Amino acid sequence: GKGNHRHYMLKEIFEQPAVIGETLRSMWNPASGIIELPPVDIDLAAVSRVTIVACGTSFLSGMVAKYWFERVARIPVDIDIASEFRYRDSPLEKGGLSIFISQSGETIDTLAALRHAKAAGQKTIAIVNVPESTMAREADGVLPTLAGPEIGVASTKAFTCQLVLLACLVIATARARGAIDGAAEARLSNAIAEVPSRAAEVLNGDEGIQALAAQVAEARDVLYIGRNTGYPIALEGALKLKEISYIHAEGYAAGELKHGPIALIDETVPVIVIAPSDDLFEKTFSNMQEVMARGGKVIFLSDEKGCAHIGDAAWGTIALPAVHPFVAPILYAIPVQLLAYHVAVLKGTDVDQPRNLAKSVTVE
Ligand code: M6R
């Protein structure tokens, strides 16, 4: 049931500290602090290229993983939407690794892409939340997220569990390839170990997020911007908002704004800025100033240090705990879920069963 919550979506958002913790404990030994994946019959040390395929929100966790794999494990990643990948006949190196990400494990395009990759001689890993699903049965290896049943059509806890799992996979791969030393590995593992309690802190800020929803609910268009792993989180924020509130929303890489989308900005357009304190903070900050100079209403998501930087110049700020930049996308996913949720409730839409959508897309 929904427990004390008004909607499954809200219940599932609030379950995140617990289910992220569950997923983490399946791969991380608290005594040693070492990440150990469940056994998969794939030699991570030999992997030289990764292909990631998925749809919707699961695609966006894959996009975060691309940044992680490239930066931390020094492995180039191709990523594509399953409905494109399955028909574009990409040349796949024999023995290469393909990863398929799916909450349901039944999404028809992702399943077809998995079969295509297998037929082309790829080693396949399925990251699924339903362990008895078709993808779990057909892939060479399965890494289960332990989010528990997700009822709301909008994916929330499955997404953050996918991210935690992918973060562990990246660390294990980096170690197997000798791409990071023990000290660097320990820093990343410690950062991941903190995520459940930091996620709980983010949820404690729900009232502040709810207070911003009324004005977003008035908007016709909303933009989300971010850089690096903040970019897929911008895309995810926009997807959540349009899916459940039916407000038109787009996510952009912050540096891409001036190549077109900035023309949309005026006093009626809220712009949600994903800006953790990291090595690109200044760049994102200056993109935000360009938005404010054109009258855009900025909602600024950052940690205390970043929020101090902006003072009260933004229309709204959401302060998150300061964390290692590696895990920031996992935490920044939560406020964009909550914002979409509160806006949808104000709009009076069917939050758990938005129009025209199915929980799992099993026909093409
Ligand atoms: O079950 P899957 O993860 O394969 O589903 C993929 C998408 O259909 C799904 O993430 C969809 O985009 C969600 N409704 C987003 O909230």
Side-chain angles (χ1 to χ4, degrees), residues 206-228:
D206 182 36
E207 269 182 35
I209 298 168
Q210 187 171 2
L212 297 169
Q215 279 185 275
V216 176
E218 304 280 296
R220 198 190 58 178
D221 307 289
V222 179
L223 297 186
Y224 290 74
I225 60 171
R227 284 177 184 256
N228 198 268

Side-chain angles (χ1 to χ4, degrees), residues 28-355:
W28 175 76
N29 180 337
S32 64
I34 302 278
I35 283 164
E36 287 158 28
L37 296 181
V40 277
D41 182 24
I42 285 159
D43 179 9
L44 294 176
V47 173
S48 62
R49 183 164 209 100
V50 172
T51 301
I52 301 178
V53 184
C55 300
T57 287
S58 295
F59 170 78
L60 296 173
S61 74
M63 209 169 142
V64 172
K66 173 184 167 80
Y67 285 87
W68 284 339
F69 267 118
E70 299 200 337
R71 191 167 202 165
V72 177
R74 312 303 302 160
I75 298 183
V77 174
D78 290 320
I79 173 159
D80 208 349
I81 298 161
S83 56
E84 285 300 311
F85 175 84
R86 65 179 289 195
Y87 295 118
R88 86 184 151 83
D89 203 12
S90 163
L92 295 168
E93 221 175 276
K94 232 188 165 59
L97 175 63
S98 290
I99 301 174
F100 301 84
I101 309 170
S102 176
Q103 187 284 128
S104 61
E106 303 295 346
T107 301
I108 188 68
D109 284 323
T110 310
L111 178 59
L114 164 60
R115 289 175 176 159
H116 172 83
K118 256 186 114 172
Q122 292 275 292
K123 287 276 185 195
T124 56
I125 290 182
I127 295 179
V128 294
N129 195 45
V130 181
E132 59 278 10
S133 59
T134 312
M135 282 181 222
R137 281 199 309 273
E138 295 196 13
D140 298 313
V142 185
L143 295 174
T145 50
L146 304 181
E150 192 181 62
I151 310 294
V153 164
S155 185
T156 54
K157 61 177 182 169
F159 177 65
T160 48
C161 286
Q162 288 166 351
L163 287 175
V164 167
L165 192 148
L166 285 160
C168 292
L169 176 60
V170 166
I171 291 176
T173 308
R175 182 205 305 139
R177 288 167 48 82
I180 47 172
D181 62 21
E185 182 182 338
R187 275 195 298 276
L188 298 179
S189 306
N190 292 341
I192 296 179
E194 274 193 5
V195 169
S197 58
R198 296 286 169 264
E201 288 173 33
V202 175
L203 291 168
N204 284 336
D206 182 36
E207 269 182 35
I209 298 168
Q210 187 171 2
L212 297 169
Q215 279 185 275
V216 176
E218 304 280 296
R220 198 190 58 178
D221 307 289
V222 179
L223 297 186
Y224 290 74
I225 60 171
R227 284 177 184 256
N228 198 268
T229 55
Y231 168 37
I233 298 307
L235 293 170
E236 170 61 5
L239 178 58
K240 283 289 91 87
L241 189 72
K242 61 190 140 189
E243 180 174 30
I244 61 170
S245 78
Y246 316 148
I247 294 175
H248 173 240
E250 298 294 336
Y252 286 102
E256 190 64 12
L257 267 192
K258 53 175 81 141
H259 299 283
I262 200 163
L264 293 169
I265 308 282
D266 64 22
E267 300 73 31
T268 67
V269 181
V271 181
I272 320 293
V273 182
I274 316 289
S277 294
D278 60 17
D279 52 357
L280 293 171
F281 177 84
E282 295 293 335
K283 305 263 178 205
T284 309
F285 196 82
S286 82
N287 297 128
M288 179 210 64
Q289 287 174 314
E290 288 154 6
V291 165
M292 295 207 299
R294 285 156 187 87
K297 293 180 178 168
V298 165
I299 295 181
F300 189 68
L301 275 66
S302 189
D303 42 47
E304 205 182 315
K305 192 168 144 222
C307 289
H309 218 76
I310 192 172
D312 55 13
W315 180 59
T317 53
I318 299 175
L320 287 96
V323 289
H324 191 295
F326 180 64
V327 299
I330 313 176
L331 293 168
Y332 284 65
I334 298 171
V336 299
Q337 297 166 348
L338 285 168
L339 185 64
Y341 173 78
H342 291 302
V343 171
V345 168
L346 288 172
K347 291 234 130 187
T349 56
D350 188 344
V351 173
D352 286 332
Q353 290 269 291
R355 68 185 183 199

